[in-house]
Amino acid sequence: MAKRASHSDNNSALHLEREASQGQARGELIARLRDQPFSILEREMLSLQKRLITMSPSMLDRDELRRRIAEDIYFEAVHRLCPWKEFSRALRRLERLGFGDVERRAFVAGHFVMWASKSQVCIDEAWKMLDDAERRAQALPRDSLQRENISRFIARVRAEHGESGAPVL
């Protein structure tokens, strides 16, 4: 029994070490490409993904890495206020890969609203995505810290970027 726990602890430590290493590589690349065009950042992030995939032993780890890279690309598109063509590509990639949890979905949707408000593009679609994330958050237990965080974030987005329908939570 102790041998299994030890093996599990080793796997867990290796997993955390691998995630930290991959996160550092992603962060360094984003910092290095901060002044480069978005298309270069996107291409280099996808190239990094190919290299890092080889370090991921399981399909679950590889899928999570793809989601993290897609999130990095998406949030850079938001930050850089990319035009719809680039922004939508990043958003669709992330939607295709799926969201790790309701909180990530809400965070992505809220930033879509922020981007849409500034760009004056796809505003209705952004609010629908935020409303959907808010509805999904209702499935979480009422006393859940995650539900509370989502609710606060969405309330802040609504207050800063205008209201589109009544809040669901």
Side-chain angles (χ1 to χ4, degrees), residues 127-167:
W127 282 108
K128 285 177 186 173
M129 187 176 184
L130 187 69
D131 291 343
D132 177 62
E134 193 170 33
R135 274 190 296 281
R136 289 170 186 266
Q138 286 185 102
L140 298 171
R142 287 198 181 274
D143 61 347
S144 162
L145 181 59
Q146 189 178 39
R147 180 179 171 154
E148 185 180 325
N149 288 339
I150 293 168
S151 182
R152 262 192 260 124
F153 173 71
I154 290 174
R156 192 182 94 230
V157 170
R158 288 186 188 285
E160 292 176 7
H161 297 280
E163 186 70 33
S164 175

Side-chain angles (χ1 to χ4, degrees), residues 84-140:
W84 175 248
K85 183 178 178 183
E86 293 173 323
F87 178 85
S88 65
R89 189 172 54 240
L91 176 62
R92 301 302 175 229
R93 177 184 296 116
L94 193 50
E95 288 177 322
R96 191 175 53 254
L97 292 170
F99 301 96
D101 60 22
V102 178
E103 196 166 18
R104 281 189 173 154
R105 179 184 296 271
F107 199 55
V108 166
H111 282 82
F112 184 12
V113 167
M114 293 175 202
W115 176 90
S117 295
K118 291 177 185 171
S119 300
Q120 294 298 300
V121 176
C122 295
I123 295 171
D124 289 342
E125 183 181 346
W127 282 108
K128 285 177 186 173
M129 187 176 184
L130 187 69
D131 291 343
D132 177 62
E134 193 170 33
R135 274 190 296 281
R136 289 170 186 266
Q138 286 185 102
L140 298 171

Side-chain angles (χ1 to χ4, degrees), residues 9-96:
D9 290 346
N10 285 341
N11 281 344
S12 205
L14 287 173
H15 178 78
L16 291 174
E17 184 178 317
R18 188 172 44 254
E19 278 188 352
S21 172
Q22 291 173 349
Q24 183 176 355
R26 293 180 3 245
E28 288 173 358
L29 181 60
I30 290 169
R32 188 167 47 84
L33 298 175
R34 186 68 66 197
D35 296 327
Q36 296 296 315
F38 179 78
S39 60
I40 292 174
L41 175 117
E42 183 178 36
R43 185 182 67 231
E44 291 299 315
M45 289 297 291
L46 293 173
S47 178
L48 176 64
Q49 175 182 294
K50 285 180 184 177
R51 289 191 306 275
L52 294 178
I53 286 285
T54 63
M55 297 170 40
S56 301
S58 73
M59 184 56 83
L60 286 175
D61 289 338
R62 290 188 290 273
D63 288 346
E64 185 60 23
L65 174 63
R66 286 182 186 99
R67 272 192 293 277
R68 296 294 182 163
I69 296 278
E71 287 173 355
D72 290 341
I73 293 169
Y74 173 79
F75 288 116
E76 279 298 307
V78 170
H79 174 73
R80 293 170 182 230
L81 203 56
C82 286
W84 175 248
K85 183 178 178 183
E86 293 173 323
F87 178 85
S88 65
R89 189 172 54 240
L91 176 62
R92 301 302 175 229
R93 177 184 296 116
L94 193 50
E95 288 177 322
R96 191 175 53 254

